[in-house]
Amino acid sequence: MLNKEEIKERIIRLKKKHSAIIIAHNYQHSDIQEVADFVGDSLEISQKAAQTDAEVIVVCGVRFMAESASILSPHKKVLIPDKDADCPLADMITPEELKRMKERYPQAVVVCYVNTSADVKAESDICCTSANADKVVESLRDKSEIIFVPDKHLAHYVSLKTKRKLIDWNGYCPVHIAITPEDVLKRKKEHPQAKVIVHPECVGKVIELADGVFSTSGLAKYARESDAQEIIVGTENGFLYRLEKENPEKRFYPASELAICPGMKKITLSKVLWSLENMQYEVKIPQEIVQRAKQAVDRMLEIR
Ligand code: 13P
Ligand code: SF4
């Protein structure tokens, strides 16, 4: 059996051989972050996929992230090392459900969170991520009705920030709603000097307790730039690896030990090697869906 270093060496050799790039989400296992060419949030992953010259893109994240890369680079081979790396939030709305919603609100413009399937993006007018959801909604100031799917907690947060009423959907991230206000208060009691930063997929009562609410890379920026020496983190716990690596002098505490995303954790270093050896699993989205979904993602990327 190969040890971790041998697996990494093989991955690096295969990357060169196939002109491949590995893009990893901030929640990935630490050994995958170490071997990745780029680690970031959903917006950065999309931007990287749109810009890269590589012929093969291995996405270490959940399926919608690999689909977004494929939508933006339709002529490249996009691989995901485990085809069952699902995001339950993304699966909480189907294109049929969104179509019915559009029939109910025929005047509404549709904003879909990037955590959706390609089919749902194809039914949407514009996509957003947690890093730009407020800017996307603000860009729609001439629209009287806005449907925002599928995350109702993100919709609530964006609605407060932009002062726009949004027509939401009953979707949520099971990982982030596991973080309770009681968890945060308990941690604050244990670490009274600590600042609290959380992801906007958290419930409103947790967001009310936070000093900062950002996408994962926004949280990383806050951690780097803040004077705080101790920070309580309300998001998926794999993210603490990056925070600790970038800020060895600071202390980070997970708001809840339960915040672990099973879909993200399905990607392992051995599966990344297998993926490059076998050029599997290739993300394949019907051309007609790619074209329509790409419009929604491109519109988002035009917003600065
Ligand atoms: P970010 O885009 O903030 O990295 O979030 C993705 C995600 O799935 C959060 O649960
Ligand atoms: Fe989906 Fe939540 Fe996992 Fe993010 S943390 S990928 S929203 S299940």
Side-chain angles (χ1 to χ4, degrees):
M1 220 170 79
L2 299 173
N3 66 35
K4 209 181 252 188
E5 287 316 309
E6 288 165 336
I7 297 176
K8 280 186 186 165
E9 275 167 30
R10 285 197 185 195
I11 290 173
I12 292 163
R13 249 184 281 143
L14 284 169
K15 270 200 311 189
K16 266 203 191 125
K17 181 176 165 198
H18 295 297
S19 175
I21 184 176
I22 298 179
I23 304 181
H25 185 262
N26 284 320
Y27 296 160
Q28 287 291 293
H29 289 295
S30 56
D31 47 12
I32 290 178
Q33 295 196 32
E34 283 161 17
V35 89
D37 298 281
F38 181 78
V39 180
D41 67 10
S42 308
L43 178 62
E44 293 168 329
I45 287 178
S46 296
Q47 288 165 331
K48 196 76 192 166
Q51 291 158 1
T52 182
D53 295 331
E55 282 158 31
V56 176
I57 307 173
V58 183
V59 178
C60 297
V62 285
R63 188 157 24 96
F64 78 81
M65 294 177 175
E67 283 188 353
S68 302
S70 179
I71 289 166
L72 286 162
S73 283
H75 305 300
K76 301 210 164 134
K77 202 185 269 287
V78 176
L79 306 176
I80 182 160
D82 187 317
K83 62 176 164 28
D84 297 323
D86 294 325
C87 166
L89 167 60
D91 295 334
M92 281 183 196
I93 188 159
T94 65
E96 290 71 31
E97 287 168 326
L98 181 52
K99 275 187 205 161
R100 283 199 288 278
M101 210 175 172
K102 282 162 63 169
E103 280 162 16
R104 230 178 309 140
Y105 301 98
Q107 304 302 325
V109 61
V110 179
V111 179
C112 72
Y113 191 27
V114 69
N115 299 42
T116 44
S117 67
D119 299 14
V120 166
K121 289 186 178 75
E123 288 300 325
S124 303
D125 296 297
I126 184 163
C127 187
C128 76
T129 76
S130 60
N132 61 16
D134 52 343
K135 284 195 196 128
V136 168
V137 167
E138 270 158 8
S139 77
L140 304 170
R141 56 189 81 75
D142 57 328
K143 309 287 179 196
S144 56
E145 288 186 317
I146 304 175
I147 292 174
F148 189 104
V149 295
D151 188 341
K152 63 179 173 184
H153 299 296
L154 180 64
H156 175 69
Y157 174 68
V158 173
S159 179
L160 286 178
K161 250 196 121 177
T162 59
K163 302 192 172 48
R164 288 296 309 262
K165 200 167 172 304
L166 301 174
I167 303 163
D168 65 1
W169 181 256
N170 190 21
Y172 55 87
C173 163
V175 179
H176 283 85
I177 68 155
I179 302 169
T180 64
E182 291 74 27
D183 291 331
V184 177
L185 290 169
K186 182 167 169 269
R187 282 284 187 265
K188 275 175 74 134
K189 214 169 175 183
E190 289 164 359
H191 309 287
Q193 304 302 323
K195 293 279 186 200
V196 178
I197 56 174
V198 307
H199 195 276
E201 288 170 12
C202 288
V203 300
K205 292 261 179 266
V206 165
I207 286 180
E208 280 170 24
L209 296 169
D211 298 292
V213 184
F214 304 105
S215 76
T216 52
S217 288
L219 295 173
K221 184 168 182 281
Y222 178 100
R224 277 196 307 275
E225 293 176 358
S226 157
D227 291 337
Q229 293 304 301
E230 293 183 285
I231 301 181
I232 296 163
V233 185
T235 193
E236 209 273 346
N237 291 342
F239 184 49
L240 268 73
Y241 166 74
R242 177 171 169 186
L243 294 178
E244 282 162 358
K245 191 172 148 216
E246 290 182 352
N247 308 278
E249 73 295 355
K250 298 184 180 178
R251 303 293 301 269
F252 298 95
Y253 311 109
S256 162
E257 301 294 345
L258 299 178
I260 294 168
C261 176
M264 286 282 179
K265 298 307 185 250
K266 283 216 166 107
I267 312 291
T268 62
L269 199 62
S270 306
K271 288 181 193 171
V272 176
L273 174 57
W274 179 87
S275 177
L276 278 163
E277 279 172 341
N278 297 284
M279 289 289 116
Q280 296 282 356
Y281 293 96
E282 191 174 351
V283 177
K284 289 207 168 111
I285 308 169
Q287 192 54 32
E288 177 261 337
I289 298 287
V290 169
Q291 272 170 7
R292 288 164 53 219
K294 192 167 186 305
Q295 285 180 7
V297 183
D298 282 342
R299 279 191 199 119
M300 165 184 87
L301 294 178
E302 280 160 21
I303 290 175
R304 296 273 149 209

